[in-house]
Amino acid sequence: MTETHDPALRRDVRLDAVAGFLAAAVALGLIELISGALGRVSLIVSVGDLVVDYSPSFVVKTAISLFGTNDKAVLLGTIVVVCLGAGAALGPVAAKRPRVGMAALAAFAVAGTLAAARDPRILGILAAGIAAVAAFGGWQALRLLLSAATPQPAVGGATMPGVGVADRRRFLAFAGTAAAASAASVVVGGRGFGPAVDVDSQRAAIALPETQAPEEASAQGLMVEGLSPLITPNDRFYRIDTALVIPRVDVNTWSLKITGMVDNPFTLTFADLQEMATLEEAVTLACVSNEVGGNLVGNAIWLGVPLSLLLLRANVQPGATQIIGRSVDGFTVGFPTEVALDGRPAMVAIAMNGEPLPARHGFPARLVVPGLYGYVSATKWLEEIELTRLEAFDAYWIPRGWSKEAPIKTQSRIDVPRGGQAVTAGRVPIAGVAWGGLRSIDAVEVRVLPWRGEGGSDWLPARLGPKLAQSTWRQWVVEWDAVPGDYRIEVRATDGEGAVQTDVERPPAPDGATGHHAIRVVVRDA
């Protein structure tokens, strides 16, 4: 890089900003290229995980409410945009003070290394090497681009007094090369080398015992257009977790460890789990972040190894009151040991709806614990089950303000008609689903009220669909003779213990939302 000391030669700050932008792009591209070549998680993802881990709880909840399941892509995109913007701001500064540019890129490398140091998916020394190469590449790109953007006196003297010109053709050539190299690095790193593990091929090679077909189970349910099916298809099952990039675990090298306060710690391979997988159960899972009437709930048929069987083999020590589930990416859950021993079908699941777990739902193994919200129980990409005391460890979400014990609350949802929908007068089905954790559902009631004014119906009993298991949701339907008007429709459920769903409205934090789901429907003349 050549500093321009001659005050007669003024730099074009726009070119310097472009130089910084492209230098940042080159550094990010190198991170993706090297990470992809080595089959490691990107440092960008490690930085994103750090942001998630240290963001206040309300920030995470706001992101989920705004972007839903796209929150992870938005976060990663934001990190990239911030890095590119910082590069653009750095360019003009580095043009005047090259050492500042070197220091900034060194700080970039240190930040990436520190973020990755706490990520179990990448070795610290490897992260440092990737960060150093990326920073050096970014510095070289910045140096060359700023040199090309340095104004030089025109041959034979400047055409205007006190103004020099940069060789724009040379700058554009360097800029085009840097942009192309950055884009190619991202593409090759992310796709050219392919995923570190071909999970789809591994799943296809797994032979499962014959299980109940989810299609057959769904066929037992109520058939109302727009109603959630009795069994949620895998590709429609909600996904909420902290993994910015879905872990792709090699089933051939993966193992599950049972550790902690046990007399007989042991390790299982996937083949061991296959041989022991005898428990098949339909279980409804729900996310504690689910708002009243929300869709962060699903029902599936799971196949796995009874968790109680594993604990029996390990011989749990007295005083071991908490089970910790650890994921390959370091995420943790924690729930009382007694939950795994009280007779509920808690399991280490290896299959979902008749096929090996999809990667996004935890392949090769995950915990499924009926009756508990997922944030305290449903570890995906499971690699360790540790026994400890309740007071000895707080899992991932507990220090972030969520309750340590989290039984699923009784809830009901209206699927049909949709809120805000206009329907034609006549016989109209009102239908939805209701769930109550381990308590099941014994009754659902609906009432129809004028949107404004008084009057309306009493609570009307709904016809319930089948109960596949104690911890699955139930479909329900009410046939409504609708006349023209503007209405509010509410639903409430009664669980298997006789408790009626509360109408007190509370937000999801700290242990699950409450209240009645209500929608507005306009009925028009036929």
Side-chain angles (χ1 to χ4, degrees), residues 210-296:
E210 194 168 324
T211 59
Q212 181 181 12
E215 296 81 7
E216 294 177 3
S218 278
Q220 303 174 36
L222 302 177
M223 296 302 168
V224 178
E225 185 177 355
L227 173 63
S228 298
L230 189 55
I231 300 296
T232 310
N234 290 353
D235 60 355
R236 290 172 53 188
F237 205 96
Y238 78 95
R239 178 201 164 202
I240 294 292
D241 50 59
T242 63
L244 295 181
V245 173
I246 296 172
R248 306 188 74 85
V249 181
D250 188 347
V251 73
N252 298 309
T253 58
W254 173 88
S255 63
L256 173 63
K257 300 184 291 293
I258 314 298
T259 66
M261 296 176 64
V262 296
D263 292 332
N264 306 312
F266 61 94
T267 299
L268 296 171
T269 65
F270 186 79
D272 294 330
L273 288 181
Q274 275 186 282
E275 187 176 345
M276 300 168 67
T278 58
L279 176 57
E280 182 184 25
E281 186 83 6
V283 177
T284 295
L285 298 184
C287 179
V288 71
S289 296
N290 198 38
E291 301 280 355
V292 172
N295 60 2
L296 300 181

Side-chain angles (χ1 to χ4, degrees), residues 10 28 51 77 106 110 120 170 195 222 232 263 274 286 289 306 311 354 434 453 475 483 509:
R10 293 200 297 266
L28 294 174
V51 171
V110 171
R170 178 167 171 258
L222 302 177
T232 310
D263 292 332
Q274 275 186 282
S289 296
L311 299 185
Q475 300 167 307
V483 297

Side-chain angles (χ1 to χ4, degrees), residues 458-521:
D458 294 326
W459 288 103
L460 306 172
R463 176 166 59 92
L464 295 180
K467 180 169 71 173
L468 289 182
Q470 187 67 18
S471 57
T472 59
W473 66 16
R474 299 189 72 176
Q475 300 167 307
W476 56 267
V477 63
V478 169
E479 297 295 340
W480 174 39
D481 291 319
V483 297
D486 194 355
Y487 299 95
R488 172 187 172 90
I489 302 176
E490 297 181 11
V491 63
R492 71 181 183 186
T494 301
D495 66 27
E497 297 178 353
V500 180
Q501 178 184 342
T502 179
D503 62 353
V504 177
E505 296 183 1
R506 291 197 178 97
D511 60 358
T514 63
H516 291 172
H517 186 211
I519 62 171
R520 181 180 185 179
V521 172

Side-chain angles (χ1 to χ4, degrees), residues 391-414:
E391 66 274 13
F393 181 81
D394 286 336
Y396 183 90
W397 283 112
I398 309 311
R400 292 163 173 81
W402 297 86
S403 296
K404 192 154 185 170
E405 296 188 21
I408 293 175
K409 289 181 164 58
T410 299
Q411 280 289 342
S412 52
R413 183 182 75 201
I414 302 169

Side-chain angles (χ1 to χ4, degrees), residues 125-147:
I125 190 169
L126 190 58
I130 294 172
V133 172
F136 180 77
W139 166 247
Q140 292 302 313
L142 181 62
R143 184 179 64 82
L144 291 172
L145 286 164
L146 289 178
S147 176

